[in-house]
Amino acid sequence: MKEWHFGDFGGRYVPETLMPALEELAEEYARAQADPTFIKELDYYLHQYVGRPTPLYQARRLAEKLGGARIYLKREDLCHTGSHKLNNTMGQVLLARRMGKPRVIAETGAGQHGVATATVAALFGLECDVYMGAEDMRRQALNVYRMRLLGARVIGVESGSRTLKEATSEAMRDWAATVEHTHYIIGSVVGPHPYPTMVRDFQAVIGREVERDMLQQEGRLPDYLVACVGGGSNAMGLFHQFVDKGPRLIGVEAGGLGLSSDKHSASINAGSPGILHGAHSFIIQDDQGQVLPTHSISAGLDYPGVGPEHAWLKATGRAEYITATDAEALEAFHLLAEYEGIIPALESSHAMAGAVRLAPDLERDMLVVVNISGRGDKDIDEIAEVEGVDL
Amino acid sequence: MSRIAQRFKELKERNEAALIPFITTGYPDLQQSLRIVLALAEAGADIIELGIPYSDPVADGPVIQKASQQARAAGMDLKAFFSLVAEVRRKTGVPLVAMTYYNPVFVCGQKRFADNCRQSGIDGVILSDLPPEEGEEWLKIAAGAGLDTILLAAPTSTEERLRKAIDSTSGFIYCVSRLGVTGADHDLSSSLRPRLERMRAMTDKPLCVGFGLSMPEHIRQVAALADGAVIGSALVRLIADNAAAPDLLDKVRGFTALLKQATIR
């Protein structure tokens, strides 16, 4: 079972009903990876539909303002649908087609993964149901409407904290009932094997492009890679290409109102080892193994778990994980808008906040890459509300 | 011979199937759930499954989700669970099976959980999200503590997986009647009979059917095909509907007795 795990982390902790589907998926994914037709098809859609490669843009004005290192932005916000999520849903929808499954389901927090799933379902004419916490539907109303416009059904989840955790549980329950004709497109590097590996691989195009473009622009690899970590798919996508190379890998978790407040989503910094949604990783839980409610201003990071490979990178010391509070993320959001003309997603604003803290202390020739995993249009209403602006 | 094995032996001699009710412990509150367990035993339950409420019950439908949430809000935790079990054990010899998810066991420590089970009087354990591949360590620890570990067989299980479950399970094998999560249904799945026949050909271990069973007719059908029937959501719903009623325990006893009748072949 070695290939199921990242050290002690990962695995496949699901009800028996789902085990055969995971076996099937792992086998089909292995076949697809070895199939040049699949690789070519995915490449085609990544270029011609998703809009890859995305730019690696040097943020000169921002770097000047902060002082210190050179800052490059990986512009995943320029992908079709507005975030990196489409890299993964495109790969998985092609797999669903290979497996002959006419229906896909997804969980979504901020709605970006839901939109990316609804999009590929529309593209290939598949039925699509998206589970979303009722609280997230409220704060990400624009994305709910986008999914519906794309022909998906959005199913509100009212249990628990009514956010991403409950949406994921509900999607797993749906899958247990429909597994024979439905593929579950998990949106992050979480869940039972093979999802953490497979989603990482589909997102790894981010890091491959960064390496190529950085060599072209600077003639060397970057020194720091910074990405936000909820489940952690944009971060794994950025890190994967560099895990065996030199750059320091920095993940930024959602610090919410601060780690001492109990209102955060920092699973690695403030959680403990446990099992959630099929994998062994770090989770936010009490001393009885009951999972606790989380908080983040960013719906996409508001989750009590994290991908098992991040847990492994943390345990081995290969990657470092810091936090940014709601307030720091908001400040970074405004900074990027005002100094570079880029409105980032609240999730990506956490990565930016990490860079804002890091860059001023670095030498001027240091190269920092920040993953702008998504654009912020979806967050405008929420930010206006938080800041007391009447639109 | 474990208490569960002994029970199946007795039932076989009497030509009955096992009636295995499930309840969420701590629901509607700790005291009532203790009385409910004793009422189940009095009314003819052959084995009782005691659910330990968990925050993220992905294998459970709305009825058990809601009961779990309320039980936790009312203060149910592992300490309260083991005192409840010890209390039940002082009053009845009915085999008791703890049913929960893996994370509370992992966080408690597998050895400590198994020891607590043994000491309080639990006979078997079902962990809904621990497949045999991930459960090798637990299976060893449980066996060492003299506990049965009941594994699940699903409608989707391949021949190879059925074999694995059958080989590793002890006490009985829990045959999930249909796709999906726990919940009361109107009809039993038509694929159940051929699946049970296939499994019967593979093993002599007791086969018990759960998920979707809600009425005496279901129990009667299952009793003809298998060694036991689990009834969960329908019972928890009865408790939910009568949580504040003065005759809650009578209703539980009446329903249980009716279901037990249906297990007599």
Side-chain angles (χ1 to χ4, degrees):
Chain A
M1 306 308 152
K2 206 73 185 154
E3 78 277 14
W4 292 16
H5 296 93
F6 304 96
D8 287 341
F9 300 104
R12 201 178 257 176
Y13 299 87
V14 297
E16 174 63 24
T17 302
L18 292 177
M19 288 295 284
L22 294 171
E23 289 176 350
E24 181 197 6
L25 180 60
E27 282 161 21
E28 192 58 44
Y29 176 55
R31 272 196 293 274
Q33 275 178 306
D35 179 355
T37 324
F38 177 82
I39 306 292
K40 218 174 127 190
E41 194 182 14
L42 180 56
D43 263 3
Y44 168 81
Y45 284 106
L46 288 179
H47 285 295
Q48 305 300 342
Y49 189 80
V50 179
R52 304 207 71 89
T54 60
L56 181 65
Y57 161 75
Q58 187 177 1
R60 292 174 201 273
R61 241 192 118 224
L62 180 69
E64 197 175 312
K65 155 88 178 155
L66 294 175
R70 266 180 254 176
I71 296 175
Y72 281 83
L73 307 178
K74 180 57 174 167
R75 298 291 310 275
E76 290 300 296
D77 58 315
L78 294 177
C79 288
H80 177 42
T81 75
S83 83
H84 72 293
K85 292 294 185 185
L86 196 55
N87 301 330
N88 168 48
T89 60
M90 187 59 79
Q92 288 202 47
V93 81
L94 295 179
L95 273 181
R97 276 159 58 84
R98 282 173 71 100
M99 293 186 290
K101 307 237 166 152
R103 175 175 177 258
V104 292
I105 56 171
E107 82 294 336
T108 197
Q112 291 302 89
H113 174 58
V115 166
T117 303
T119 297
V120 295
L123 177 64
F124 292 106
L126 304 184
E127 193 188 338
C128 178
D129 287 325
V130 178
Y131 288 90
M132 189 168 189
E135 164 64 11
D136 289 340
M137 286 177 75
R138 183 195 65 75
R139 53 182 170 171
Q140 303 285 338
L142 178 69
N143 271 344
V144 174
Y145 188 52
R146 284 171 80 196
M147 288 184 266
R148 287 178 175 150
L149 289 175
L150 291 161
R153 203 151 62 109
V154 182
I155 303 168
V157 180
E158 293 285 352
S159 57
S161 62
R162 304 151 85 229
T163 57
L164 181 54
K165 174 179 75 120
E166 280 72 26
T168 307
S169 295
E170 207 51 35
M172 287 179 79
R173 292 184 186 111
D174 178 310
W175 202 33
T178 59
V179 62
E180 289 168 322
H181 67 275
T182 295
H183 173 61
Y184 177 16
I185 302 188
I186 293 186
S188 193
V189 288
V190 300
H193 176 76
Y195 284 101
T197 308
M198 180 176 75
V199 175
R200 174 203 71 199
D201 291 350
F202 287 140
Q203 292 293 359
V205 63
I206 299 172
R208 286 197 299 273
E209 289 176 6
V210 166
E211 181 177 48
R212 188 197 61 199
D213 289 355
M214 194 55 107
L215 287 173
Q216 211 162 52
Q217 294 183 51
E218 292 278 359
R220 65 184 184 93
L221 294 183
D223 299 294
Y224 288 83
L225 304 175
V226 186
C228 66
V229 177
S233 71
N234 88 84
M236 272 324 304
L238 177 63
F239 293 171
H240 185 58
Q241 182 71 6
F242 300 96
V243 165
D244 299 325
K245 298 174 185 169
R248 282 175 68 174
L249 313 176
I250 315 279
V252 186
E253 294 194 298
L257 305 182
L259 294 194
S260 56
S261 70
D262 286 345
K263 291 201 180 312
H264 58 76
S265 307
S267 317
I268 294 179
N269 279 282
S272 56
I275 286 91
L276 178 65
H277 294 143
H280 179 192
S281 186
F282 285 105
I283 63 180
I284 296 173
Q285 58 185 337
D286 66 14
D287 61 0
Q288 300 259 328
Q290 305 281 349
V291 183
L292 293 170
T294 52
H295 162 84
S296 170
I297 191 172
S298 139
L301 302 182
D302 195 349
Y303 182 70
V306 64
E309 193 169 4
H310 284 295
W312 174 235
L313 291 175
K314 163 71 181 177
T316 57
R318 176 62 190 94
E320 300 149 66
Y321 294 86
I322 60 174
T323 61
T325 61
D326 288 354
E328 288 169 319
L330 272 175
E331 199 184 311
F333 170 92
H334 286 296
L335 208 57
L336 196 56
E338 287 164 27
Y339 280 81
E340 294 292 348
I342 294 168
I343 293 182
L346 276 173
E347 291 75 20
S348 322
S349 300
H350 285 72
M352 200 60 241
V356 166
R357 201 184 311 158
L358 189 70
D361 295 334
L362 299 177
E363 298 296 329
R364 295 189 72 88
D365 60 349
M366 287 277 126
L367 303 176
V368 175
V369 174
V370 183
N371 202 7
I372 304 302
S373 54
R375 67 172 185 233
D377 307 48
K378 69 183 176 61
D379 296 315
I380 301 295
D381 285 345
E382 175 76 4
I383 288 168
E385 196 186 312
V386 167
E387 299 186 336
V389 177
D390 199 4
L391 291 181
Chain B
M1 187 181 283
S2 79
R3 216 181 250 129
I4 294 173
Q6 179 66 35
R7 179 52 47 100
F8 278 108
K9 187 167 165 276
E10 294 158 11
L11 288 165
K12 195 165 191 170
E13 285 160 7
R14 300 207 302 262
N15 198 25
E16 294 172 17
L19 176 68
I20 311 177
F22 165 96
I23 60 138
T24 300
T25 57
Y27 179 75
D29 60 53
L30 198 54
Q31 279 314 309
Q32 276 297 65
S33 79
L34 172 62
R35 291 186 199 110
I36 289 168
V37 178
L38 295 173
L40 293 171
E42 275 167 41
D46 295 300
I47 297 170
I48 299 174
E49 282 184 12
L50 301 174
I52 304 173
Y54 176 54
S55 53
D56 298 84
V58 294
D60 285 303
V63 172
I64 295 174
Q65 281 177 49
K66 207 169 160 205
S68 301
Q69 205 176 338
Q70 286 189 26
R72 288 182 56 230
M76 191 63 199
D77 62 10
L78 277 185
K79 192 164 168 250
F81 175 78
F82 288 121
S83 359
L84 178 139
V85 172
E87 190 74 23
V88 171
R89 188 43 85 225
R90 271 195 285 280
K91 293 180 173 140
T92 160
V94 69
L96 299 172
V97 173
M99 185 162 186
T100 189
Y101 291 80
Y102 181 52
N103 196 48
V105 177
F106 172 80
V107 170
C108 173
Q110 299 185 68
K111 178 80 171 67
R112 197 172 134 217
F113 184 84
D115 289 345
N116 283 335
C117 281
R118 185 72 260 176
Q119 280 155 21
S120 59
I122 287 288
D123 302 292
V125 175
I126 304 175
L127 300 173
S128 308
D129 58 350
L130 189 71
E133 291 93 331
E134 298 288 3
E136 284 174 18
E137 197 182 343
W138 165 256
L139 285 165
K140 265 184 231 142
I141 289 169
L147 295 171
D148 285 328
T149 297
I150 293 117
L151 295 176
L152 288 86
T156 47
S157 300
T158 54
E159 197 81 8
E160 192 190 337
R161 298 199 58 82
L162 285 180
R163 174 53 61 200
K164 202 178 305 187
I166 284 168
D167 288 346
S168 307
T169 200
S170 51
F172 60 91
I173 183 150
Y174 191 128
C175 309
V176 178
S177 76
R178 51 148 173 76
L179 295 176
V181 294
T182 59
D185 291 346
H186 200 265
D187 294 307
L188 288 186
S189 162
S190 59
S191 70
L192 186 59
R193 175 189 290 270
R195 281 178 47 226
L196 287 169
E197 283 168 355
R198 188 151 55 104
M199 290 179 67
R200 180 81 302 156
M202 294 169 77
T203 182
D204 290 331
K205 290 183 181 174
L207 304 174
C208 297
V209 176
F211 281 42
L213 278 55
S214 69
M215 53 182 98
E217 183 48 32
H218 296 158
I219 307 290
R220 223 180 319 277
Q221 289 174 38
V222 166
L225 300 167
D227 304 296
V230 181
I231 187 132
S233 295
L235 177 61
V236 175
R237 194 165 59 195
L238 177 87
I239 295 167
D241 290 346
N242 296 281
D247 61 345
L248 168 65
L249 296 176
D250 288 337
K251 286 211 160 80
V252 168
R253 269 188 289 261
F255 186 52
T256 308
L258 195 67
L259 298 173
K260 179 55 207 169
Q261 273 300 317
T263 67
I264 300 167
R265 296 189 186 107

